[in-house]
């Protein structure tokens, strides 16, 4: 087997202390996603939206990558074929675990975006409605995250990878949000083996051939050991 395509979601960062969205007590039970994760919400109240992402950025910066992130970085380093990591997460824990290539389909918390000129820049602290674009000096700035109703990033590249995947694994995602939730069908149609790794068996994850149930920090390192032992 040469090409492995991985899709990660909030569950892989849960044991690093970052909240998931749809679990009991998750982020979408504390906030209305219409208010903080849509273009309409941002137009209505940019300060509320910036506050939401400022808090999440501070949480992410205070968190550390866990054993599951580290195991995927080891897979990328040691697997003799291609390993493509697509993440729905906007945190940078994969990169901080040593993953060299990460496709952030829902954008990146640690980056600002200018709506006017398209510039992107690193953000380590807070953003605000008065924040200026470092390239064109306008105030049409926002976190570089993909909101509901917007087009996820890198879809053509992702589509190409899914079409020649031999193994597709989803880790810590509820399979509720498209287009990511549909990747399993595309990969399976292209002939890939499909495997789901999740704390729970249910959700929108019944399209997978195989599933491994348990916390990512336990299951992912063991699964990576197993894969690398087959090389
Ligand atoms: N190990 C493995 N899986 C876990 C763990 C864990 N320790 N903890 C939680 N999970 C699983 C849950 O069972 C659930 O299936 O992680 C999944 C988290 O699901 P969601 O909260 O829906 O997160 P995700 O699938 O990443 O959400 C997709 O929705 O709101 C948007 O843009 C946001 O990227 C996000 C997208």
């Amino acid at each position: 087997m040469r090409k492995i395509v991985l899709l990660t979601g909030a569950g892989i960062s849960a044991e690093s202390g970052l909240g998931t969205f749809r679990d009991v007590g998750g982020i979408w039970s504390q906030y209305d996603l219409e208010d903080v994760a849509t273009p309409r919400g941002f137009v209505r109240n940019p300060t509320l939206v910036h506050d939401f992402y400022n808090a999440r950025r501070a949480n992410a910066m205070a968190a550390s990558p866990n054993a599951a992130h580290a195991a995927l970085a080891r897979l990328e380093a040691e697997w003799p074929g291609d390993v493509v990591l697509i993440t729905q997460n906007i945190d940078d824990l994969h990169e901080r675990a040593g993953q060299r290539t990460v496709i952030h389909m829902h954008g990146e918390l640690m980056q600002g975006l200018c709506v006017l000129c398209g510039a992107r820049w690193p953000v380590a602290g807070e953003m605000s409605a008065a924040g200026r674009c470092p390239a064109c000096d306008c105030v049409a700035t926002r976190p570089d995250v993909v909101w509901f109703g917007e087009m996820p990033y890198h879809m053509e590249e992702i589509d190409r990878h899914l079409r020649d995947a031999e193994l597709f694994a989803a880790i810590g995602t509820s399979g509720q949000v498209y287009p990511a939730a549909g990747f399993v069908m595309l990969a399976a149609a292209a002939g890939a083996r499909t495997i789901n790794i999740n704390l729970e068996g249910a959700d929108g994850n019944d399209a997978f051939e195989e599933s491994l149930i348990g916390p990512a920090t336990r299951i992912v390192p063991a699964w990576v050991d197993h894969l690398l032992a087959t090389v």
Side-chain angles (χ1 to χ4, degrees):
M1 189 193 336
R2 305 303 299 171
K3 183 160 183 169
I4 300 174
V5 177
L6 305 163
L7 171 69
T8 62
I12 197 167
S13 296
E15 291 164 85
S16 292
L18 300 185
T20 60
F21 295 97
R22 295 172 185 78
D23 292 312
V24 175
I27 293 170
W28 297 147
S29 70
Q30 301 164 44
Y31 295 87
D32 188 335
L33 70 81
E34 272 293 327
D35 291 338
V36 297
T38 64
R40 289 176 301 282
F42 189 59
V43 168
R44 269 198 309 266
N45 191 343
T47 299
L48 178 76
V49 176
H50 279 303
D51 287 350
F52 174 74
Y53 288 101
N54 286 340
R56 300 200 56 220
R57 190 176 302 112
N59 288 344
M61 286 173 71
S64 301
N66 64 44
H69 298 103
L72 297 185
R74 189 160 75 86
L75 183 63
E76 181 188 52
E78 296 180 17
W79 182 251
D82 291 342
V83 173
V84 174
L85 174 63
I86 305 160
T87 188
Q88 297 166 90
N89 297 344
I90 56 176
D91 67 56
D92 61 351
L93 296 181
H94 284 301
E95 286 90 342
R96 281 159 57 200
Q99 197 87 29
R100 284 192 303 269
T101 308
V102 183
I103 300 176
H104 279 277
M105 65 178 291
H106 290 169
E108 297 181 54
L109 199 46
M110 309 296 169
Q111 207 159 264
L113 169 67
C114 176
V115 176
L116 214 59
C117 77
R120 290 185 158 89
W121 61 95
V123 176
E126 301 209 324
M127 293 188 77
S128 79
R132 294 195 171 270
C133 168
C136 73
D137 204 39
C138 77
V139 289
T141 59
R142 55 173 280 183
D144 188 15
V145 300
V146 175
W147 288 322
F148 287 91
E150 295 184 317
M151 190 68 87
Y153 295 157
H154 313 298
M155 285 309 297
E156 279 182 21
E157 183 188 357
I158 290 172
D159 196 60
R160 276 200 308 276
H161 288 308
L162 291 169
R163 283 175 199 284
D164 54 22
E166 288 177 48
L167 172 63
F168 173 76
I171 301 163
T173 176
S174 59
Q176 303 290 323
V177 176
Y178 283 83
F183 291 174
V184 58
M185 301 299 286
L186 281 175
R193 242 180 73 207
T194 59
I195 177 160
N196 184 46
I197 297 178
N198 199 293
L199 197 54
E200 293 167 358
D203 316 290
N205 288 324
D206 47 10
F208 289 81
E209 264 168 52
E210 222 180 301
S211 83
L212 297 174
I213 308 294
T217 55
R218 181 165 62 79
I219 303 287
V220 177
W223 177 68
V224 166
D225 283 346
H226 168 77
L227 277 177
L228 290 174
T230 65
V231 169

